Amino acid sequence: MMSGDSFSVASSIGGFGQEVQNTNPNPNPAAKKKRNLPGTPDPDAEVIALSPKTLMATNRFVCEICNKGFQRDQNLQLHRRGHNLPWKLRQRTNKEVRKKVYICPEKTCVHHDPSRALGDLTGIKKHFSRKHGEKKWKCEKCSKKYAVQSDWKAHSKTCGTREYKCDCGTLFSRKDSFITHRAFCDALADESARLTSLAAANNLNFGNDSMNETVINPQPGLPLGASQFGPGFRPELSGMAINGNSLGVDQQKPRLSLWLNHANSQLNPTDMMANSHLYASSSSTAFPEMVQAVSGNLFGSSSMPNFGNFNNQQFQGFDKSVSTSTNASLSLSAIPHEMKEEGNKGNLVETQSSLYSDTQKKQSKPSMPMSATALLQKAAQMGSTTSNPSSIFGNSFGVMSSSSSNTTTSFNTLNQNRNELHQALQNSKQQAAENFTASGSVDGMLGSSNLSSLTTSTNSFDQLMMQTSGKQSDPVALNNHPGSNAIENSLTRDFLGMGGRESQRPFLAQELAKFASMSSAMGLSQFTGNH
Amino acid sequence: MARTKQEGRSSLTSSHESSPGLGSPYPWLRSPQSEEGGLQLIELLGECASHVTARCLHSVNTRLEHISYLASPKGTAIQRIASYFIEAFADRMLKGFTGLHKALNSTKISSVSEEILVQKLFYEHCPFLKFAYLITNQAIMEAMEGEKVVHIIDLYPVEPEQWIRLLQALSVRQEGAPHLKITGIHEQNEVLEKMDLQLKEEADRLSIPFQFNPIVSTIENLDIESLGIKTGEALAVISVLQLHSLLAVDEEVVRRNQQSLQQFLETDLNHLFIASASSSTTSELSLSASPKMESFLSSLRRFSPKLMVITEQEANHNGFTLIERVHNAMKFYAALFDCLDSTKSIAPIEQQKVEKMLFGEEIKNIVACDGAERKERHEKLEKWILWLELAGFSRVPFSYNGRVDASTMLQYYSDGYSFTEENGCLVIYWHEIPLFSVSAWSFR
């Protein structure tokens, strides 16, 4: 199955010409295929270089008879059956399949090198799109863009669903990055709070000078800075250190300069926070940057004289060029011990463990089933944002939740009531015709006769309101309790059957009738009181 | 709306034990424990409610069938609520077939001891009753300062601790304890006897002159005259979640009254129009349409109570339409179910009992009953204030001391509870959801 034009079959790596066997001795076909590390292909595999056009072609499988293209091999086979080929040709032409690996057609890409080829065609296609393609898919919630549709889909499933929020306001979608950030974030906050208070009393230059001397090392600060933060971070850090090693030189330089900048400048908490934000918002490479920044910050302030000395020692120790330095033998594990001897460091470690427990607690929450109250609120939000007429709970809940705050705090004044009722009467007159087209066996319908008499009673209604307002000193609420809007909406739906209209009518005629009767009751009590 | 007798015989599922969602023949039903499933459940319940309103038996049956795969009295909060709501829906639909309904309920066993147990559980595990009692007692102490004889009418005594604490507080009063008389009104004699015993014991222990008057009656049938209220004694009326039952009206009767009222008014005022709905309950909210409430309050007025403390559910479950009631009830009881969930100390079977016998029965009443049968006519505080002020009562503010005690007490429960003062009354919340209100009144 070779695709059409303009590809070149490169020579195989190693040139052994052997079939690539699955090295798994287990003959069980259900056993998982061994997966190489990405970018480290099997040496026996056949390298295939496709042009970008071929790579992104949607119909890779072409029928040799009629040149019709198909997206899937199975589809092609099905099609070929229809050609009534002689039996032999219908079989797959080659029984022995040689493993193929693919290289990225983009010359500047790492995976252009056959030694870094990728093993899966789909994989290389996705890679090419992601790295060298245009990002056509955009997440609607957070407007993050993706080149590959499956990435976009996967993201939009989780976007906004599980978010961890640090106290400093940064949002995370991943638990590990959140935990990492929190540790640093609080530590930074503590440090900066302490350091700003102590900085005044100390000579910053001392620290800076030592920094300038010793800082020009490839990734020296990585393990050092990070290791202060307690044992829990170390495994991650060693991993990070490895990654740090593998980073290109050009990538290290900007971070070093940032580090230097921190060391030289005055620290204040807002900068710290801003920095941590900066680092947190970037991708997985954020961690070493953060660590460097942090260590830079910590060391930059020489409020602890010990720090300064320590700096010198440690940095020399990590300088690769100074292999014979007395401190070269310092291992990662030694550092925290030294650090812990400093009294202040103990605080940081403690903060870390408490942070850990905090994050544990916080993380446990999202995994519990949502409370019924929360579900109902969510249903209400969804109902109010989507125009889904069949969602009965949506609108009303939304209305209720928004108006509930109003009603519980204060009563409406009589004047407000009057105005609203006036308006409502106007509206209801207009809507009367629409309302009464439907009839039938639903709760609480007014006969049309009532409506006409209602409209004429507006004046007398007003009179009654004025009478009662004169006689009562306390403001009395007559309407706009949250239920009323819900009544409207639900009544609307009842009127019109299922899937009623979404329009929010301020008052239905029936509501008005209710108020009319209520106010009449008020008037009545004047009478009954005299009995 | 066509229904056939055959459809009436379709099996009505009640909550079953099997894990919901599994093995259901409806692949579109999502797992109810997930968030999506919960939202789907809410939507299905809403649709069912509108089918019930339209009295379309076939649609209701179909929906109940769907929901029954998701709902369960032992699942997540939303699943449990759903199971009580669908039972209420089914009950409502079945009421249309009076013979069937009566037959299904013909062998019900009501156990008083279970009811007492459930009340006790609710008292222990949720702070609402304690909150109400605390505030009430504080209000009593303040109103009765200097009084030598205090007569308390308790409209539904269930928890002896309520009055035991009052006795204790009175015993350390500066001017000495008053002569305390408590009249308890309850339908079951056993409850009253138990209460009598415990209170007498405590009063003896504290050497407070005490008298307990048991009255076996419902509040509607209560004859206040017969309560033996003597002149000169300071009267306090305490109602904890009881007053709303007085709002239960038979709509037909109301309508007739309304019409005669209308005639009366039209002769006197200029064409004042009183809308009388062709069917229900337009004027349920007007005082004149709640004759029981009106007569109760006016007869109380005659005795000039020094204090009346009313604790009520802070929710509108008295709406015209089923859908509105279902809405509000879902919100309200969801909060209550969540409250129980947040309690660590309650055993699952106990929780289920409280949910079934206390909340479930209320839900059933709100959803399935109408007219005089529907007793759970919860109304919001604004309405209560309206009615009480119409009846001539005026609000008594709550003191700072009571509030301090209340917030201390709430701390022992979850920190999801809070309370605020609104219009001189106290409202207790679970997170942002108002649940119960306590207001104090005196007759001027």
Side-chain angles (χ1 to χ4, degrees), chain A residues 162 365-372 374-375 378, chain B residues 16-24 28-42 44 67-80 82 341:
Chain A
R162 271 213 200 183
K365 269 185 196 163
S367 59
M368 269 168 34
M370 280 179 86
S371 71
L375 274 172
K378 184 146 192 185
Chain B
H16 52 75
E17 317 266 296
S18 61
S19 51
L22 282 185
S24 73
W28 52 272
L29 285 177
R30 312 218 189 110
S31 160
Q33 270 107 1
S34 70
E35 184 182 318
E36 290 176 335
L39 293 172
Q40 185 181 46
L41 191 49
I42 295 172
L44 288 173
I67 300 177
S68 64
Y69 279 104
L70 304 174
S72 158
K74 292 185 183 177
T76 62
I78 193 69
Q79 280 180 281
R80 304 195 311 265
D341 270 344

Side-chain angles (χ1 to χ4, degrees), chain B residues 117-158:
Chain B
L117 169 70
V118 154
Q119 293 279 0
K120 186 87 183 179
L121 287 170
F122 182 57
Y123 169 75
E124 290 291 338
H125 297 283
C126 292
F128 307 115
L129 292 181
K130 289 187 186 170
F131 179 81
Y133 296 157
L134 220 150
I135 300 288
T136 303
N137 286 350
Q138 184 67 28
I140 294 175
M141 292 296 291
E142 284 163 18
M144 301 302 180
E145 260 179 72
E147 295 287 342
K148 299 282 189 313
V149 181
V150 175
H151 185 179
I152 296 179
I153 299 179
D154 188 348
L155 291 186
Y156 199 75
V158 285

Side-chain angles (χ1 to χ4, degrees), chain A residues 369-379 382 388 390-394 396-397 400-401 404 407-411 441-447 449-451 453-454 457 460-461 463-464 467 472 474-484 486-487 490-491 493-494 498 510-514 516-518 520-522 524-529, chain B residues 1 33-36 38-39 42-43 45-47 49-51 53-55 76-78 81 92 258 261 264-265 268-283 285-288 294 301 314 316 319-324 326-328 330-331 334-335 337-338 380-383 385-386 389-390 395 422-423 429-430 432-434:
Chain A
M370 280 179 86
S371 71
T373 317
L375 274 172
L376 282 167
Q377 280 169 349
K378 184 146 192 185
M382 282 169 47
N388 179 11
S390 62
S391 164
I392 300 232
F393 286 92
S396 305
F397 264 120
M400 281 172 67
S401 55
S404 61
T407 52
T408 48
T409 47
S410 64
F411 286 144
S441 61
V442 290
D443 300 346
M445 311 271 287
L446 276 180
S449 56
N450 290 343
L451 189 65
S453 36
L454 250 187
S457 72
S460 46
F461 192 60
Q463 283 176 14
L464 188 61
Q467 284 174 13
Q472 293 203 354
D474 293 340
V476 176
L478 280 185
N479 63 357
N480 265 14
H481 75 94
S484 62
I487 295 175
S490 47
L491 273 179
R493 288 187 180 82
D494 285 345
M498 292 294 300
Q510 191 162 10
E511 271 296 297
L512 288 168
K514 185 169 62 167
S517 64
M518 271 173 61
S520 72
M522 283 160 56
L524 269 182
S525 67
Q526 319 292 329
F527 295 102
T528 55
Chain B
M1 265 83 62
Q33 270 107 1
S34 70
E35 184 182 318
E36 290 176 335
L39 293 172
I42 295 172
E43 196 177 331
L45 283 168
E47 288 172 20
S50 42
H51 289 309
T53 306
R55 289 209 71 83
T76 62
I78 193 69
I81 294 180
R92 186 181 179 92
Q258 283 277 289
L261 217 52
F264 169 71
L265 279 178
D268 263 14
L269 299 177
N270 311 338
H271 308 295
L272 180 69
F273 173 75
I274 301 171
S276 59
S278 53
S279 68
S280 67
T281 55
T282 316
S283 40
L285 298 165
S286 77
L287 204 51
S288 63
E294 170 126 48
R301 237 186 357 246
E314 176 64 5
N316 178 12
F320 298 155
T321 60
L322 176 69
I323 298 218
E324 185 198 354
V326 169
H327 266 171
N328 298 344
M330 278 199 74
K331 250 182 119 177
F337 274 63
D338 287 342
K380 286 228 163 198
L381 190 57
E382 323 166 325
K383 292 267 155 46
I385 291 177
L386 183 64
E389 284 184 349
L390 276 175
R395 249 166 301 166
E422 285 152 29
N423 292 296
Y429 289 77
W430 165 255
E432 305 300 314
I433 314 250

Side-chain angles (χ1 to χ4, degrees), chain B residues 6 115 148 165 183 197 286 309 329 353 372 393 400 417 428:
Chain B
Q6 286 134 351
E115 287 173 23
K148 299 282 189 313
R165 287 186 204 228
T183 301
L197 269 170
S286 77
V309 185
K353 280 188 187 170
F393 290 87
Y400 179 69
Y417 296 106
I428 184 169

Side-chain angles (χ1 to χ4, degrees), chain A residues 41 66 158 167 181 192 201 272 282 304 323 328 342 397 403 453 461 484 521:
Chain A
C66 61
T158 60
D167 296 345
H181 164 83
S192 63
M272 289 272 209
S282 57
M304 315 290 155
S323 53
E342 326 252 351
F397 264 120
S403 58
S453 36
F461 192 60
S484 62

